[in-house]
Amino acid sequence: MSLPHTVQPTPDRAVARHPAWLPPEAFGPLGIRSALVCGTGPLVDTVVEELTRAGTRYGGRVHRHARAGAVELVLALTGADPLPPVAARLAGEVAGTLGAEGFLLDRSGHVPVLLADTPAGLLYGLFHLVRLGGSAFDLHPVERHRPALDRRMLDHWDNVDVHPVMGQVERGYAGGSIFWRDGAARNEPDRIREYGRLLAACGVNAITVNNVNVHATEARLLTDRLGDVAAIADLLRPYAVRVHLSVTFAAPVVLGGLPTADPLDDRVRAWWATATRQVYDRIPDFGGYVVKADSEGQPGPFTYGRDHADGANLLAGALAPFGGVVHWRAFVYNHRQDWRDRTTDRARAAYDHFAPLDGRFRDNVIVQVKHGPIDFQAREPVSPVLAAMPATRLAVEVQVTQEYTGQQRHVCYLGPWWSELLGFTPWGPQGRTVADIAAGAGRTGTGAGGGRTGTGAGAGRTDTGAAGGRTLPGGGLVGVANVGADPFWTGHPLAQANLYAFGRLGWDPRLDPRAVLDEWIGLTFPPSTTGDPALVRRTLHEIMDDSWRTYERYTAPLGVGFMVNPRDHYGPGVDGYEYSPWGTYHFADRDGVGVDRTRATGTGFTGQYPCPWAERYESVEQCPDELLLFFHHVPYDHVLRSGSTVIQHIYDTHFAGVEQVKTMRQRWQRLAGLVDAAVHARVSGLLEEQLRCAREWRDQINTYFFRKSGVPDTHSRPIH
Amino acid sequence: MSLPHTVQPTPDRAVARHPAWLPPEAFGPLGIRSALVCGTGPLVDTVVEELTRAGTRYGGRVHRHARAGAVELVLALTGADPLPPVAARLAGEVAGTLGAEGFLLDRSGHVPVLLADTPAGLLYGLFHLVRLGGSAFDLHPVERHRPALDRRMLDHWDNVDVHPVMGQVERGYAGGSIFWRDGAARNEPDRIREYGRLLAACGVNAITVNNVNVHATEARLLTDRLGDVAAIADLLRPYAVRVHLSVTFAAPVVLGGLPTADPLDDRVRAWWATATRQVYDRIPDFGGYVVKADSEGQPGPFTYGRDHADGANLLAGALAPFGGVVHWRAFVYNHRQDWRDRTTDRARAAYDHFAPLDGRFRDNVIVQVKHGPIDFQAREPVSPVLAAMPATRLAVEVQVTQEYTGQQRHVCYLGPWWSELLGFTPWGPQGRTVADIAAGAGRTGTGAGGGRTGTGAGAGRTDTGAAGGRTLPGGGLVGVANVGADPFWTGHPLAQANLYAFGRLGWDPRLDPRAVLDEWIGLTFPPSTTGDPALVRRTLHEIMDDSWRTYERYTAPLGVGFMVNPRDHYGPGVDGYEYSPWGTYHFADRDGVGVDRTRATGTGFTGQYPCPWAERYESVEQCPDELLLFFHHVPYDHVLRSGSTVIQHIYDTHFAGVEQVKTMRQRWQRLAGLVDAAVHARVSGLLEEQLRCAREWRDQINTYFFRKSGVPDTHSRPIH
């Protein structure tokens, strides 16, 4: 037997890049008007450049002088001088209240006026206008916008060297890296600038440029290859995107030649201080470090008998003088578990490691928590860590790259999932949301969970673990990037919507994900470029709105997770991890399936949640169906809240999921000739693969459980 | 989740190579005597060189003149002139009867006389004397030796370039290749010469220098990189080892620039003729080509609507003028099978493809047949192809490299298996053996199945498909090599015994594998180098004699096979291939397990055997226990011929297998200080890994079947 069956990577072709949500047509409604821009600075220059480019195409003009005469749109910094009369009074009233990234849009007069205290706010306001399109010029009451979360960051798991197993981009499904190629900087500044534009237009304001698994070459980005990082920072600065760097905790040893990386060692502290100062000498607005420590083989403080607070505070100390932050990942667990040992529960690990450290982290430490307790499965409960560290800045980490959600071969719009996540209330319906936690809101009673000031989420309750008198900013939202050198940026053209929705939901977590998708459709498929705009819009909604749940239907059932092929994580492998050391099991036998994580009889993981979720998850009757097998081991004839049995639910959802993919494919076919041909062809090909793969999931899952349970499908559909 | 759990390769260290079965001490009994060597030629020079080296160390002398005076040992070509009186009369009698590789040893007089018609025979006779050691000088009747099989060939699955998935050596477990490194010739002539000595000393007379999967660089060994092959041939020629080359069927296209590789196209024929002539210009004793065609992605005649006889005869035609042969592999099957389709049976494939072609192959085509119908599993029935092609030269292919038998981390002495295979009688106990078939013996009634003339295996019967009036030589025995750049040659020092046994059983298939192991122990652990020779010998027998069956006990049960991890094929993965396209399934469900290959209700594979095996395998009662699940799907409570149920047999053998590995480890420990320290340390470490892995097998297999069957172990041992 020779070569294994492998999934082919997306070819990295040298063709024109797709404009994503910033095609020229999206700027048409602005471009036909004459606009006035007041203010100075690089980001204001970006605004001017965008408007000038649009005007050049569509006939409008861009003025820089307040007395320019007849203008149809004003974008102004509140502190600009002079300001035109139409803006001056309002600017005087609101100056200093709009926030570091916020803006105000006044459409109550005859000329729309956009005001911001900062150039970044003006840039975000510009893209708000782009989203509004023609309606930017409709009469409308004054509105204020500011991001709910201060930091909306994408982590690129990009390697500089091609890793022998993981390739150029770990868990990347969109060709090579946009930053690196074969050990060197890719050196395509246009591509990076275009990427910066796309990020600014959806609200992302930070990225890491390298993988959290920091290999030998990548470690050196911190020191002798810092120039490569600075070059990226220079390209992204005009789009208000700050650059962060993943570093290895062992840097003082592997780069500095010290005998130790002990966080309490003075030489180590001095080494980090010096290294960090050199970074800021080169990149004054450098964002900070991201660290995966003591996890899956990465070095960390445990080597020296220290804990993660010691480790994180070491780097925080080095960054503090410059305003930088350290994102310290909470993804710490034993990846050499014995599958025979049913008492060890990987789901417990992050809480067990980090909750006891609450209060010990410096203020510029952000503990970055994966959204679920395991690892980016398509369905997991929300991580209990998020409710367990009131005195710590927490960021929520999601995977935009579709490692476990179809690898950008499957349509899987993740907006609804993130919306559900960000709106989850760990302390019950009246309590703070995950978005509030990521915003740092609620601890002092001042809700800041929303995108529009004054309409914040419910204020925190006294039992939610407010951090005493300390007021801490939030940690924000972090996503693992899904972007690569593919001409469509994301491999699957429709996966662009996930990148877009990530940024938009980070800015305003309460946005309806369908509305976000609608924005994306409007920008990406401008009516002027499609054959039947209404049909295109409706069809894309039909295909994408529920696609995450469709994916869930044909993959691992009822929250049990991880029934994937080892290594590449693509396609079904029901027992793929069942006897592995990775701590991801389903325990299916001839009688039943699922993981008992109750306090009463299981691993006790449910006890990591506050009430009411601790009780709800503990109860086999009250546990939500979609998470039943995450929390309980039940017999195949167990009756779900839906009224179906577990085994019949498995059969039904898997047959239904495949039918839904077939319907997706049919619907997409009706867009032939109505949308860009290259997009249509790429998506058509991928839908074939999605259907093939969904059938494979259906048949393997159904066959596996039929062979184990012996229970026939009540509808006698084919099971093998 | 990051890097998968991988098995570490054996490091390729630059330390002294282990002498294997040719340590200087093995030559001591010859080296202390004065010897006379009569004859000329390069191979005779090798004999002289060996004896001279031994004599230099031990005090003996080597004479080249028949009248040299007092000598204690004579080695002479029957045609040498002059011969000493002690040899002359006998030489005159037997000259021309000893065969191309045979020899005669006369120990009936006061000086042992070794005679051979050819230099190769003299060389093999020399190593026979080495094996005899001191007893070479005991009185003994005259004995004649000649190999049962003309060709004893090792196929090296070595790549010139490091393959991105398969590495330098596909399925290699002994470090890098001895021939190639990183795209170039390794250029270590001493290593290759030492290898040639080892091969000659166990009887191997042919090798391929590159993988049967011929990638781009490797294809060019046939043409512009032929010099690399010639260099290897030059180094191995003094040891009577001929070099063969794996070629791609697409060579006329990929190397020759032709638009086709159609075997019936005149341009293609001309291209192969020219290429082959150029090979023989450079390597006059070149052995021939090995081809894997239309298999696992390799090109072949099917592309052009031709069959395998057309394909093989094309190359045979090019080779025929020079006496070369083409080894054409019968390993052709659909590797994109649908696991849902239970009617397609990979076991049938080789027979279905090749049996109808019997009689259509040219005389210098050898169809190379894997020993079993699937793929080198630790237990398979003998391939029915071997009994189905009486008018075709057939070679039997076994895997010396331990892809599926522990990957040279586990002690697994394969001699007993090959012995069983070679002694198998497809037409029943009185019929020809597999060894006879590989020898080409029996078809004309002149048995040649044994290593000593006059004691051949049972003559062929008229119902065994003799090839009419045509007398064809056999195809020989082929093994996939287990050798690499590891200082112990084979990774696991005890795996050397497999290489040794392969050669010895190819020479004489009727040798008792325990006796072969005993030879190997005597040579590899010479009494003068060990602390307690008797204990060492006894202990090695205890550890190794039954180690193949021990391996079988703790791995896939009852012949079902292929319960391995995909890709690397190491360690248990019960469902690893169950839903794959590879055609290797066990069909376990809650009620039973096994593959129904009967004519009555299954795939009909049993019908490919002649009687009595067709009937025996067809019958669930008569089928040998060790192959039951290969041929039948039975309930877990099915009672075996042994009296145990299937499920209890699974539990019992798996617990027993691990206990036997523990015993191996204990036994090896008592050799500490008695054998070479480096050997002891390496084996000790590997036994730890073997025990760990055996436990993993035991627990995963037992747990898998307990979870499916629900049947408890009657002895209540721990199952997880």
Side-chain angles (χ1 to χ4, degrees):
Chain A
M1 181 168 290
S2 175
L3 277 172
H5 179 70
T6 53
V7 173
Q8 293 304 312
T10 308
D12 178 351
R13 292 179 301 180
V15 303
R17 282 182 290 282
H18 186 263
W21 49 88
L22 289 182
E25 295 83 358
F27 288 81
L30 301 185
I32 60 173
R33 262 84 173 193
S34 289
L36 169 67
V37 180
C38 304
T40 55
L43 290 173
V44 177
D45 292 343
T46 304
V47 171
V48 172
E49 181 191 318
E50 291 288 343
L51 288 169
T52 303
R53 190 187 328 182
T56 303
R57 176 181 280 253
Y58 291 101
R61 290 190 55 198
V62 182
H63 305 276
R64 301 299 311 269
H65 303 292
R67 292 180 188 75
V71 295
E72 297 161 285
L73 174 65
V74 174
L75 299 92
L77 290 181
T78 53
D81 185 25
L83 284 169
V86 71
R89 188 190 52 80
L90 190 57
E93 282 174 21
V94 302
T97 71
L98 298 179
E101 301 182 304
F103 58 89
L104 173 152
L105 177 59
D106 180 2
R107 291 187 274 166
S108 62
H110 67 287
V111 173
V113 175
L114 183 87
L115 293 174
D117 284 338
T118 67
L122 208 63
L123 181 65
Y124 291 124
L126 167 72
F127 288 115
H128 180 69
L129 293 172
V130 172
R131 278 193 294 275
L132 289 175
S135 65
F137 300 91
D138 297 345
L139 282 177
H140 193 279
V142 172
E143 51 186 313
R144 290 179 182 226
H145 295 265
R146 65 194 308 172
L149 308 182
D150 291 340
R151 188 170 281 101
R152 290 96 44 203
M153 180 161 87
L154 286 167
D155 282 2
H156 279 260
W157 287 359
D158 296 17
N159 297 317
V160 178
D161 284 337
V162 176
H163 186 274
V165 176
M166 290 302 173
Q168 188 78 69
V169 181
E170 180 161 331
R171 308 307 177 187
Y173 312 105
S177 164
I178 62 174
F179 301 122
W180 316 105
R181 183 162 51 194
D182 288 340
R186 191 179 181 99
N187 209 9
E188 295 185 9
D190 285 351
R191 192 192 288 269
I192 296 175
R193 269 189 224 103
E194 286 169 39
Y195 184 49
R197 281 183 84 214
L198 292 173
L199 295 184
C202 69
V204 171
N205 66 358
I207 64 158
T208 59
V209 298
N210 66 308
N211 188 1
V212 290
N213 291 314
V214 180
H215 309 293
T217 297
E218 293 74 12
R220 294 165 49 215
L221 294 175
L222 177 64
T223 52
D224 56 311
R225 295 196 56 171
L226 183 60
D228 291 340
V229 183
I232 296 170
D234 290 343
L235 292 163
L236 293 177
R237 190 171 292 112
Y239 303 99
V241 177
R242 291 172 84 178
V243 164
H244 297 236
L245 195 61
S246 294
V247 296
T248 171
F249 193 77
V253 176
V254 298
L255 300 172
L258 292 184
T260 178
D262 182 349
L264 303 192
D265 187 294
D266 285 339
R267 293 165 299 176
V268 172
R269 248 194 294 258
W271 188 88
W272 279 108
T274 303
T276 304
R277 188 182 333 111
Q278 288 166 352
V279 172
Y280 279 92
D281 284 348
R282 198 76 181 268
I283 311 169
D285 58 352
F286 178 72
Y289 300 138
V290 175
V291 186
K292 175 178 179 177
D294 291 318
S295 176
E296 297 180 338
Q298 294 295 310
F302 286 168
T303 307
Y304 308 100
R306 314 302 181 188
D307 63 27
H308 282 266
D310 297 327
N313 289 341
L314 164 71
L315 302 193
L319 289 159
F322 310 100
V325 295
V326 55
H327 285 250
W328 191 269
R329 295 179 90 224
F331 183 56
V332 177
Y333 70 101
N334 174 14
H335 69 290
R336 303 261 169 101
Q337 190 176 326
D338 187 339
W339 59 268
R340 301 163 190 81
D341 164 25
R342 290 211 189 184
T343 63
T344 301
D345 182 1
R346 172 167 165 183
R348 294 186 57 111
Y351 181 104
D352 287 344
H353 280 295
F354 282 86
L357 302 178
D358 187 40
R360 289 208 27 230
F361 292 99
R362 293 182 64 135
D363 284 0
N364 64 330
V365 172
I366 292 170
V367 173
Q368 185 165 315
V369 182
K370 282 192 177 182
H371 68 82
I374 301 282
D375 191 8
F376 296 138
Q377 298 306 286
R379 178 70 77 171
E380 291 187 42
V382 171
S383 170
V385 175
L386 293 168
M389 302 186 70
T392 306
R393 294 174 71 180
L394 298 179
V396 182
E397 182 179 320
V398 299
Q399 222 180 16
V400 188
T401 192
Q402 292 173 237
E403 178 176 1
Y404 294 104
T405 53
Q407 303 200 351
Q408 281 135 261
R409 293 179 188 86
H410 296 220
V411 180
C412 187
Y413 174 51
L414 299 169
W417 182 20
W418 298 331
S419 174
E420 204 175 289
L421 163 71
L422 293 163
F424 181 76
T425 51
W427 294 276
Q430 303 311 312
R432 296 161 62 218
T433 63
V434 165
D436 290 333
I437 294 165
R443 285 187 291 224
T444 57
T446 58
R452 300 193 187 189
T453 309
T455 56
R461 304 183 306 172
T462 51
D463 65 339
T464 61
R470 253 161 100 229
T471 303
L472 279 175
L477 182 66
V478 179
V480 183
N482 67 344
V483 160
D486 176 81
F488 292 103
W489 296 96
T490 53
H492 202 306
L494 304 187
Q496 292 175 2
N498 289 328
L499 185 59
Y500 183 82
F502 171 81
R504 294 291 292 138
L505 289 170
W507 181 283
D508 184 355
R510 289 166 316 146
L511 288 173
D512 179 345
R514 283 181 176 73
V516 172
L517 186 64
D518 205 61
E519 282 179 9
W520 175 78
I521 295 171
L523 293 167
T524 306
F525 298 88
S528 62
T529 69
T530 61
D532 182 340
L535 180 65
V536 169
R537 190 177 290 268
R538 192 176 82 238
T539 300
L540 284 165
H541 276 292
E542 286 171 349
I543 290 172
M544 297 175 72
D545 279 345
D546 200 43
S547 55
W548 164 53
R549 289 190 178 82
T550 295
Y551 184 83
E552 183 186 22
R553 277 181 205 104
Y554 62 73
T555 55
L558 297 163
V560 75
F562 252 105
M563 290 178 167
V564 291
N565 280 313
R567 291 179 177 248
D568 67 13
H569 296 169
Y570 185 73
V574 182
D575 273 1
Y577 280 92
E578 190 59 12
Y579 302 96
S580 80
W582 293 99
T584 51
Y585 314 115
H586 55 67
F587 301 124
D589 60 22
R590 73 197 319 257
D591 301 315
V593 56
V595 189
D596 185 351
R597 291 192 161 107
T598 64
R599 276 166 295 170
T601 56
T603 68
F605 170 67
T606 58
Q608 293 186 346
Y609 287 89
C611 75
W613 290 104
E615 287 67 31
R616 181 126 189 239
Y617 291 145
E618 177 81 7
S619 159
V620 72
E621 291 81 21
Q622 291 178 45
C623 182
D625 281 352
E626 70 270 17
L627 290 170
L628 183 69
L629 301 185
F630 192 94
F631 287 108
H632 297 276
H633 186 92
V634 298
Y636 291 115
D637 61 1
H638 173 83
V639 178
L640 296 168
R641 292 161 64 89
S642 71
S644 181
T645 62
V646 165
I647 188 71
Q648 192 57 43
H649 172 94
I650 291 173
Y651 297 153
D652 288 346
T653 50
H654 284 77
F655 282 111
V658 170
E659 293 309 309
Q660 286 156 349
V661 176
K662 283 187 198 163
T663 305
M664 277 184 191
R665 189 179 56 160
Q666 285 163 3
R667 286 174 167 152
W668 183 255
Q669 283 317 313
R670 71 190 187 208
L671 299 191
L674 301 183
V675 298
D676 177 73
V679 170
H680 195 270
R682 173 75 75 99
V683 173
S684 293
L686 290 168
L687 279 165
E688 294 302 321
E689 164 58 14
Q690 182 172 4
L691 181 56
R692 184 206 63 75
C693 190
R695 283 184 172 133
E696 196 62 32
W697 272 100
R698 176 195 66 191
D699 289 345
Q700 287 199 33
I701 295 269
N702 285 348
T703 300
Y704 181 95
F705 283 106
F706 174 68
R707 286 188 187 176
K708 270 212 158 127
S709 72
V711 180
D713 172 33
T714 58
H715 304 297
S716 303
R717 290 164 292 195
I719 296 179
H720 303 274
Chain B
M1 182 169 287
S2 175
L3 277 172
H5 179 69
T6 52
V7 174
Q8 294 304 309
T10 308
D12 178 350
R13 291 179 302 180
V15 301
R17 283 183 289 284
H18 187 264
W21 50 87
L22 290 182
E25 294 82 358
F27 289 80
L30 301 185
I32 59 174
R33 262 87 171 191
S34 288
L36 168 67
V37 180
C38 303
T40 56
L43 290 172
V44 177
D45 292 345
T46 304
V47 171
V48 171
E49 181 192 319
E50 291 288 342
L51 288 170
T52 304
R53 191 188 325 184
T56 303
R57 178 183 278 255
Y58 292 101
R61 290 189 57 195
V62 182
H63 304 276
R64 301 298 311 269
H65 305 291
R67 292 177 190 78
V71 294
E72 297 161 284
L73 173 65
V74 174
L75 300 91
L77 291 181
T78 53
D81 185 25
L83 284 169
V86 71
R89 189 189 52 79
L90 189 58
E93 282 174 22
V94 301
T97 71
L98 299 178
E101 300 182 305
F103 57 89
L104 173 151
L105 177 58
D106 178 5
R107 290 187 276 166
S108 62
H110 68 286
V111 173
V113 175
L114 183 86
L115 293 174
D117 283 340
T118 68
L122 209 63
L123 182 65
Y124 291 123
L126 167 72
F127 287 115
H128 180 71
L129 293 173
V130 172
R131 279 193 292 277
L132 289 175
S135 64
F137 302 90
D138 296 346
L139 281 177
H140 193 278
V142 172
E143 51 188 312
R144 290 178 181 224
H145 295 265
R146 65 194 308 171
L149 308 182
D150 289 340
R151 190 171 278 101
R152 290 99 41 206
M153 180 161 85
L154 285 166
D155 282 2
H156 278 261
W157 286 358
D158 296 18
N159 298 316
V160 178
D161 283 337
V162 176
H163 187 274
V165 176
M166 290 302 173
Q168 187 78 67
V169 181
E170 181 160 331
R171 309 305 179 188
Y173 312 104
S177 163
I178 62 173
F179 300 121
W180 316 105
R181 182 162 51 193
D182 289 338
R186 190 179 182 100
N187 209 8
E188 294 184 11
D190 285 350
R191 192 192 288 268
I192 296 175
R193 268 188 225 105
E194 286 170 38
Y195 183 51
R197 280 184 85 215
L198 292 174
L199 295 184
C202 69
V204 172
N205 65 359
I207 65 158
T208 60
V209 298
N210 66 307
N211 189 359
V212 290
N213 291 312
V214 180
H215 309 294
T217 297
E218 292 75 12
R220 295 167 48 217
L221 294 175
L222 178 64
T223 51
D224 56 310
R225 293 193 61 170
L226 182 61
D228 290 340
V229 183
I232 296 170
D234 290 343
L235 292 164
L236 293 177
R237 190 170 291 112
Y239 303 100
V241 177
R242 290 171 86 176
V243 163
H244 296 236
L245 195 60
S246 294
V247 296
T248 172
F249 193 77
V253 176
V254 299
L255 300 173
L258 291 184
T260 179
D262 182 349
L264 302 192
D265 188 292
D266 285 339
R267 294 166 297 177
V268 172
R269 247 193 293 256
W271 188 88
W272 278 109
T274 303
T276 304
R277 189 183 332 111
Q278 287 166 353
V279 172
Y280 279 92
D281 283 349
R282 198 74 179 270
I283 310 169
D285 57 352
F286 179 71
Y289 299 139
V290 176
V291 186
K292 174 179 180 178
D294 290 316
S295 176
E296 298 181 337
Q298 294 295 311
F302 286 168
T303 306
Y304 307 99
R306 314 301 181 187
D307 65 25
H308 282 266
D310 297 327
N313 289 342
L314 165 72
L315 303 193
L319 288 159
F322 310 99
V325 294
V326 55
H327 284 250
W328 190 269
R329 293 180 89 225
F331 183 55
V332 176
Y333 70 101
N334 174 13
H335 71 289
R336 302 263 168 99
Q337 190 176 329
D338 187 339
W339 59 268
R340 300 163 190 80
D341 164 25
R342 291 210 190 187
T343 63
T344 301
D345 182 1
R346 171 167 166 185
R348 295 185 57 111
Y351 182 104
D352 287 344
H353 280 293
F354 282 86
L357 302 178
D358 187 40
R360 289 206 31 229
F361 293 98
R362 294 181 64 135
D363 285 359
N364 63 330
V365 172
I366 292 170
V367 173
Q368 184 166 316
V369 183
K370 283 192 178 185
H371 67 81
I374 302 282
D375 191 9
F376 296 139
Q377 298 304 288
R379 177 71 76 171
E380 292 188 41
V382 170
S383 171
V385 176
L386 293 169
M389 302 187 70
T392 306
R393 293 174 72 181
L394 298 179
V396 182
E397 182 180 321
V398 299
Q399 222 180 18
V400 188
T401 193
Q402 292 173 237
E403 178 177 2
Y404 295 103
T405 51
Q407 302 199 351
Q408 281 136 262
R409 295 179 185 85
H410 296 220
V411 179
C412 187
Y413 173 52
L414 299 169
W417 183 19
W418 299 330
S419 175
E420 204 174 289
L421 163 71
L422 292 164
F424 181 77
T425 51
W427 295 275
Q430 303 311 313
R432 296 162 63 219
T433 63
V434 166
D436 289 332
I437 294 165
R443 286 186 288 221
T444 57
T446 59
R452 299 191 188 189
T453 310
T455 56
R461 302 183 308 171
T462 51
D463 65 337
T464 61
R470 249 162 104 232
T471 303
L472 279 174
L477 182 65
V478 179
V480 183
N482 67 343
V483 159
D486 175 81
F488 291 103
W489 296 94
T490 53
H492 201 307
L494 303 187
Q496 292 175 2
N498 289 328
L499 185 59
Y500 183 82
F502 170 81
R504 294 291 291 139
L505 289 170
W507 182 281
D508 184 355
R510 291 167 314 147
L511 288 173
D512 178 344
R514 284 182 175 76
V516 173
L517 185 64
D518 205 62
E519 281 179 10
W520 175 78
I521 294 170
L523 292 167
T524 306
F525 298 88
S528 61
T529 69
T530 60
D532 181 341
L535 179 65
V536 169
R537 189 177 291 265
R538 191 177 81 238
T539 300
L540 284 165
H541 275 291
E542 286 170 351
I543 289 172
M544 297 175 73
D545 278 344
D546 200 43
S547 54
W548 164 54
R549 290 191 176 80
T550 295
Y551 184 83
E552 182 184 24
R553 277 182 204 104
Y554 61 74
T555 56
L558 296 162
V560 75
F562 250 105
M563 292 181 164
V564 292
N565 280 311
R567 289 178 179 251
D568 69 12
H569 296 170
Y570 187 72
V574 181
D575 272 2
Y577 280 92
E578 190 60 13
Y579 303 96
S580 79
W582 293 100
T584 50
Y585 315 115
H586 55 65
F587 301 125
D589 62 20
R590 74 196 321 257
D591 301 316
V593 58
V595 188
D596 185 350
R597 292 192 161 106
T598 63
R599 277 166 293 170
T601 55
T603 67
F605 169 69
T606 57
Q608 294 186 346
Y609 288 88
C611 75
W613 290 103
E615 287 65 36
R616 180 132 188 234
Y617 291 145
E618 177 81 6
S619 159
V620 71
E621 291 81 21
Q622 289 178 46
C623 182
D625 282 352
E626 69 271 16
L627 290 171
L628 183 69
L629 301 183
F630 192 93
F631 286 106
H632 297 276
H633 186 93
V634 297
Y636 292 114
D637 60 2
H638 173 84
V639 178
L640 297 168
R641 293 161 64 88
S642 71
S644 181
T645 62
V646 165
I647 187 71
Q648 192 58 42
H649 171 93
I650 291 173
Y651 298 153
D652 288 347
T653 51
H654 284 76
F655 283 111
V658 170
E659 292 310 308
Q660 285 157 348
V661 177
K662 282 187 199 164
T663 304
M664 277 184 192
R665 188 177 57 159
Q666 285 163 4
R667 286 173 168 154
W668 183 256
Q669 283 316 312
R670 73 189 184 207
L671 299 190
L674 301 183
V675 298
D676 176 71
V679 170
H680 196 270
R682 173 74 77 97
V683 173
S684 294
L686 290 167
L687 278 165
E688 294 301 320
E689 165 58 14
Q690 181 171 6
L691 180 56
R692 183 205 64 74
C693 190
R695 283 181 171 134
E696 197 62 33
W697 272 101
R698 175 194 68 192
D699 289 346
Q700 288 199 33
I701 295 271
N702 284 348
T703 299
Y704 181 95
F705 283 106
F706 174 68
R707 286 188 188 178
K708 271 214 157 123
S709 72
V711 180
D713 171 34
T714 57
H715 304 297
S716 303
R717 289 163 292 194
I719 296 179
H720 303 276

